[in-house]
Every structure is written in C-alpha cells, then in structure tokens.
Amino acid sequence: PTSRLVPAYVAVEIVELSWDAQIPALLQGKTDIIMSAMTATDARRVRIDFSDPYLGEGLSALLRTDDYLRLRVAGRSIPATSKVGVQTGTVAEAFARQRFGPERITAISSPDTAAFELKRKTVDLFITDSATAIWLASENEADLSEAPLNAPTEYLAWGIRKGDYEFEDQVNAILGRWVAEGRLQAIVRGWLGEQFELRNLR
C-alpha cells in the first residue's frame, strides 16, 4: 500500500509465514508489520525496528506431564541429558544451546509440531516463550505441562521496517491506548488465563 496510516479501525490482511520468512517478508514489502511473538533482540534490531514491547516474559519448558510430575515430586531440575526441541532462530534456541549443548538440540518447525514430537517422545522437552508454552499446555492438558525456566526476561514487540517512523509512532500510540484502557491485559488473559499478568513493560 502507498500509505499505512492507522485509523481507528482498519481492514487487516493476515499473511501466514514460516518463522524464518517473517523478517525477509517485511524487508521486501510483502508485509507491513510482524505480529508473531517476536523478541526484540539487539541482533534483530540490526535489520528491523520494533514497536514498544507489549509483553515481558521468560522462557518455559513444555514437558510430558508424567515427566513433569515426577521431577516436581522429586524436587529435581530438568536433566542436562534431556533431548531438547527448539524452533531455530529464536531466543529459546540460544538458551538451550548454552544450557544443554548443541548435541542435545533438535530443530522443530513450529510449536504445534513440538506438541506432536513430545507425545511421540522424539524430544523430552520443548523450550519456547512462556506464553506459547502455557497455550500449548492448555491445548494438550491431558498430556503436556509447562514449567518456567530460570531465564532472563525478554520483551515481545511488533517488527517494523527501519525508518518507517510515522507508522511506528501510530502503532505505539495504539499500544499505549490499549494498555491505558486495560484492553491489552484483557487480550493476554483471554488467551493465557487469569493468572497471566502483563509485567516488566518498559
């Protein structure tokens, strides 16, 4: 589009892409904004800009419920010998490689695939952002459980092309209004449950 001014209400076209295709599509003008639970890392800021953060969260492990309960009852942490699934190119992958070693890592194409691989025991756990892990655990509550990890807080934000300052200002204004009105908290609770609070927003 020739203009991406954001009025109060605007028709949105959702473009479903693989994780690795998100930033290239934005840079090539195929999309206008990335809304894919992307962490605003310094490495990504080399290529794109980000909106203000909309969620501050850590990382979690998604485990088979039997394994989770056994570890919890025994007061044990996740074994370093575990087979770990991650989505490549994510903060979770960097964390997993440092904690478990690259030889323990299995690349998984999507979170939905991770649930399937856990159930068939290809991997012992899947590391991802806490919001995704909570959602997957709720979808598979008979089989899978979420366990928070001791990892630094990361900030999720929407990706925007560099230099698109007017669009960025408008997106941030919308986010600010949602926070002030309580709408953002309502969205988060609607997807992740009443216990999930907005936190650590800068």
Side-chain angles (χ1 to χ4, degrees), residues 76-84 99-101 103-104 125:
R76 294 171 50 215
S77 60
I78 297 170
T81 54
S82 300
K83 294 177 290 184
V84 183
R99 176 165 174 178
F100 295 94
E103 70 280 359
R104 300 282 176 190
L125 63 144

Side-chain angles (χ1 to χ4, degrees), residues 55 130-132 134-135 187-196:
L55 189 64
S130 295
T132 299
I134 291 169
W135 179 255
I187 292 171
V188 169
R189 286 183 171 180
W191 283 96
L192 301 176
E194 290 295 321
Q195 81 284 359
F196 204 92

Side-chain angles (χ1 to χ4, degrees), residues 38 50-51 66 104-105 134 141 170:
M38 183 172 282
F50 284 95
S51 69
D66 289 346
R104 300 282 176 190
I105 304 301
I134 291 169
E141 60 182 339
Q170 293 177 43

Side-chain angles (χ1 to χ4, degrees), residues 51 54-55 71 87-88 97 126 136 151 193:
S51 69
Y54 62 83
L55 189 64
L71 289 170
Q87 206 170 358
T88 56
R97 286 182 175 276
F126 176 64
L136 289 172

Side-chain angles (χ1 to χ4, degrees), residues 2 32 88 132 172:
T2 56
D32 294 315
T88 56
T132 299
N172 286 337

Side-chain angles (χ1 to χ4, degrees), residues 6-178:
V6 184
Y9 298 95
V10 61
V12 175
E13 179 185 355
I14 305 298
V15 181
E16 188 172 350
L17 298 167
S18 68
W19 180 259
D20 292 341
Q22 297 282 342
I23 292 179
L26 180 69
L27 296 177
Q28 294 163 16
K30 296 178 180 178
T31 59
D32 294 315
I33 189 168
I34 297 173
M35 294 179 167
S36 299
M38 183 172 282
T39 304
T41 64
D42 290 339
R44 290 174 182 144
R45 288 184 188 278
V46 172
R47 303 175 70 193
I48 65 174
D49 284 336
F50 284 95
S51 69
D52 292 337
Y54 62 83
L55 189 64
E57 62 172 355
L59 297 175
S60 288
L62 189 69
L63 303 93
R64 290 180 290 275
T65 296
D66 289 346
D67 293 340
Y68 171 74
L69 293 176
R70 185 165 54 251
L71 289 170
R72 190 175 67 176
V73 168
R76 294 171 50 215
S77 60
I78 297 170
T81 54
S82 300
K83 294 177 290 184
V84 183
V86 295
Q87 206 170 358
T88 56
T90 62
V91 171
E93 181 187 15
F95 174 86
R97 286 182 175 276
Q98 183 177 28
R99 176 165 174 178
F100 295 94
E103 70 280 359
R104 300 282 176 190
I105 304 301
T106 297
I108 292 180
S109 59
S110 71
D112 289 337
T113 302
F116 173 75
E117 297 298 341
L118 277 165
K119 290 177 186 179
R120 70 181 191 133
K121 300 187 177 181
T122 304
V123 295
D124 298 316
L125 63 144
F126 176 64
I127 297 179
T128 186
D129 60 89
S130 295
T132 299
I134 291 169
W135 179 255
L136 289 172
S138 71
E139 283 191 320
N140 301 273
E141 60 182 339
D143 303 300
L144 304 178
S145 294
E146 176 261 347
L149 296 172
N150 185 19
T153 298
E154 303 288 347
Y155 296 94
L156 304 186
W158 294 336
I160 299 168
R161 275 190 295 277
K162 276 190 171 295
D164 205 345
Y165 302 120
E166 187 174 23
F167 185 57
E168 182 177 341
D169 287 345
Q170 293 177 43
V171 168
N172 286 337
I174 290 172
L175 277 172
R177 189 166 67 245
W178 286 3

